[in-house]
Amino acid sequence: MEGVDYLADERKKAEFDVNEMKIVWAGSRHNFELSDRISKLVANDPGFSKEGRTMLPRKELFKNTLRKATYAWKRIIELRLSEEEAAKLRHFVDEPAFTDLHWGMFIPAIKGQGTDEQQKKWLPLAYKMQIIGCYAQTELGHGSNVQGLETTATFDPQTDEFVIHSPTLTSSKWWPGGLGKVSTHAVVYARLITNGKDYGINGFIVQLRSLEDHKPLPGVTVGDIGLKFGNGAYNTMDNGVLRFDHVRIPRDQMLMRVSQVTREGKYVQSDVPRQLLYGTMVYVRQTIVSDASNALSRAVCIATRYSAVRRQFGSQNGGQEIQVIDYKTQQNRLFPLLASAYAFRFVGEWLKWLYTDVTQRLQANDFSTLPEAHACTAGLKSLTTTATADGIEECRKLCGGHGYLCSSGLPELFAVYVPACTYEGDNTVLLLQVARFLMKTVSQLGSGKKPVGTIAYMGRIEHLMQCRSDVKQAKDWLKPSAVVEAFEARAARMSVACAQNLSKFDNPEEGFAELAADLAEAAVAHCQLIVVSKFIEKLQQDIPGEGVKQQLEVLCGIYYLFLLHKHQGDFLGTGYITSKQASLANDQLRALYSQLRPNAISLVDAFNYTDHFLDSILGRYDGNVYPKLYEAAWKDPLNQSDIADGFHEYIRPLLKQQLRTARL
Ligand SMILES: CCCCC/C=C\C/C=C\C/C=C\C/C=C\C/C=C\CCCCC(=O)SCCNC(=O)CCNC(=O)[C@H](O)C(C)(C)COP(=O)(O)OP(=O)(O)OC[C@H]1O[C@@H](n2cnc3c(N)ncnc32)[C@H](O)[C@@H]1OP(=O)(O)O
Ligand SMILES: Cc1cc2nc3c(=O)[nH]c(=O)nc-3n(C[C@H](O)[C@H](O)[C@H](O)COP(=O)(O)OP(=O)(O)OC[C@H]3O[C@@H](n4cnc5c(N)ncnc54)[C@H](O)[C@@H]3O)c2cc1C
């Protein structure tokens, strides 16, 4: 029945002001109003329909994405949307496209690594989309190891040009999004060679295609790398391959903020750290952390609504069966994911602040916080994307068989999201960057250099190495100080243990390689401490709205107690807690599940997702799941006729043969 809200009873149970929670989730009233307005604008525009997208063959799917991206641009111009509004519109259109890389990496690379003059020349063209760009770093043979890239950019002083060349098959650029079929330009990362000397990697703006007929320019071989995981999903993106055969570009297309090559071919290093070459990656890792809460909350919203609709077992005297959300096992799998979505939201907000802060400092030539910004963006990108990808898959399982249908929205969400564990830095490689930062911090303790920011706790290392938890009863685990100390002691002890083991090796690099698995675990412990601390700090702010703060306290408790339970080996092994205290933590966790249960539906309503954005029959706002699943099945192309194509060729002969066999 249309118009009936099957989840109305659930919504009545809420013990908090959902509208105020929507504002907390969005980050501010301004953000809420912006998202609300733009998501509805997209949802109500048939030009952005998602109908049938998982059924389209690649070519049609891709063409449809081009149509949508162009239509989105047209609407952005017609409605005179600001940059912020336009970004929201692209977000709610919800289809990976070349525009993600144009706006998300090509433009930021020029902004971050181009001189003022270069920005003045290239940015207006890019802002008007008169050129379309991508970020071409990864090669067939090298992705994680950026210093190992092989493409060369050799300066020719005769002509004042760089010659861009792919010397080997493995030096072919491979993966850049938007490269295969759309981009006219790329920021290409290549080894800078001048006067016969290799100065390592630098960025260059290279035109790839004609702006007239879009044909690849002479010396450029470019195409798509082929079909990727999942139906529809990331196949809307033209991840590309690119080879250069001595392609010439003017010298001033080398991005020259970090280093320059003069007219005479002299290499000049600016007084900014070389690591700024990696700045675009730091920026994108930060946006990926913010995006993790979007993807996870989406999956959790679907699984929570469906868990309230779905009933199994327990019917008595012909009454209704039990809602699966009432099973403790379902709660133990679902509620920590709901809590994680909120936790990642808040750590994403904080990371954005940290990124803005480091950017302002860089502009004032203060590079002191760059290592911390790198460690935080790398570590939190790794932590949040791993948890989100795993969480989306868990949500699919939480929806039983129906979660496996594309109409649940979950398979596509997973297929689109899971490469986040790999792109912008493989998650293990990034954790090892955090571990290096931690080992450096431990080695400098006692040198007089005071650790600050997210590693300030290391400054209290003596206390953290010997303190013990003073939790005596389950509710003591609700005290923020008890929790923060537990996570700090665990992280500090794991780092110190790694440092002690490393010191046993004569060659530190050999030791690092041998102990890499332990080091990655220490990095996870440090990153989880950051997320827990930022959630707790958020709760120390003034949060208006009846019951809102209390719900966030419950979510925060679930987040850290679930982590404590899952990693109790670390907490017990480092000797900070006893097995009795671990068991009390688990008692408290169960109690928090019961407190959360009546609020579950309203907590996912607070994400304020339209049905268009969710694109899931199981996650419909009104909970009207079964009739809509039934209806959707009949839209499948296989159901266009009663008799399947292929019946006469394949099924009929088979049936005849069976008849003959039966007669024998
Ligand atoms: C259902 C439908 C749903 C539809 C959904 C629709 C749409 C979704 C759309 C958008 C989502 C929104 C947001 C997401 C945004 C964009 C995502 C979209 C697309 C994905 C694009 C992906 C693009 C890419 O992948 S680009 C390629 C990225 N490549 C990498 O990340 C390579 C990783 N490798 C490295 O970074 C480096 O090689 C390294 C591992 C760090 C090692 O570097 P190296 O120089 O060898 O360094 P070393 O370890 O020796 O360190 C030297 C020194 O430098 C310091 N360092 C290293 N890196 C940095 C840095 N980045 N910044 C600062 N400092 C750095 C390091 O610490 C060392 O310091 P020290 O000497 O120890 O002091
Ligand atoms: C969907 C998608 C979009 C992408 N978009 C772009 C783009 O727009 N532009 C671009 O330039 N690139 C892009 N990439 C490439 C991406 O950045 C790389 O794939 C990524 O950096 C990982 O590198 P890799 O593929 O070389 O993995 P590899 O490094 O080959 O990883 C393989 C395995 O080796 C392990 N490993 C590697 N090094 C170490 C180490 N030192 N210690 C321990 N383990 C290690 C990894 O953990 C992993 O398990 C994209 C990739 C994908 C999947």
Side-chain angles (χ1 to χ4, degrees), residues 71 73-81:
Y71 181 63
W73 182 242
K74 180 169 167 272
R75 295 301 289 146
I76 287 166
I77 304 291
E78 284 168 355
L79 298 168
R80 294 169 187 269
L81 298 189

Side-chain angles (χ1 to χ4, degrees), residues 101 105 134-145 173-178 228 234 237 239 419-420 422-429 432 516:
L101 281 304
M105 291 203 82
C134 64
Y135 184 88
Q137 183 176 295
T138 307
E139 295 174 355
L140 190 55
H142 288 104
S144 294
N145 180 11
K173 293 292 171 190
W174 190 271
W175 271 120
K228 294 159 296 238
Y234 217 78
M237 185 73 83
N239 292 94
T422 305
Y423 62 53
E424 218 45 71
D426 167 83
N427 279 355
T428 301
V429 170
L432 294 174

Side-chain angles (χ1 to χ4, degrees), residues 283-310:
Y283 162 72
V284 179
R285 285 172 194 154
Q286 167 256 308
T287 67
I288 290 174
V289 174
S290 296
D291 188 57
S293 65
N294 291 332
L296 184 56
S297 59
R298 221 170 138 163
V300 164
C301 182
I302 295 168
T304 306
R305 286 181 181 162
Y306 180 66
S307 294
V309 169
R310 186 67 168 177

Side-chain angles (χ1 to χ4, degrees), residues 50 53 90-91 94-97 100-101 104-105 135 137-138 143-147 233-234 237 275-276 278-279 281-282 284-285 287-288 291 298 370-371 374 409 412-413 416 422-426 429-430 433 436 440:
K50 296 176 176 176
R53 121 173 126 178
R90 283 191 294 273
H91 169 70
D94 187 34
E95 194 158 294
D100 298 344
L101 281 304
M105 291 203 82
Y135 184 88
Q137 183 176 295
T138 307
S144 294
N145 180 11
V146 178
Q147 290 194 41
Y234 217 78
M237 185 73 83
Q275 283 90 342
L276 284 193
Y278 295 165
M281 293 189 275
V282 174
V284 179
R285 285 172 194 154
T287 67
I288 290 174
D291 188 57
R298 221 170 138 163
L370 191 59
H374 167 50
E412 196 187 4
L413 187 59
V416 168
T422 305
Y423 62 53
E424 218 45 71
D426 167 83
V429 170
L430 293 185
Q433 287 288 305
R436 280 190 190 278
K440 204 168 174 175

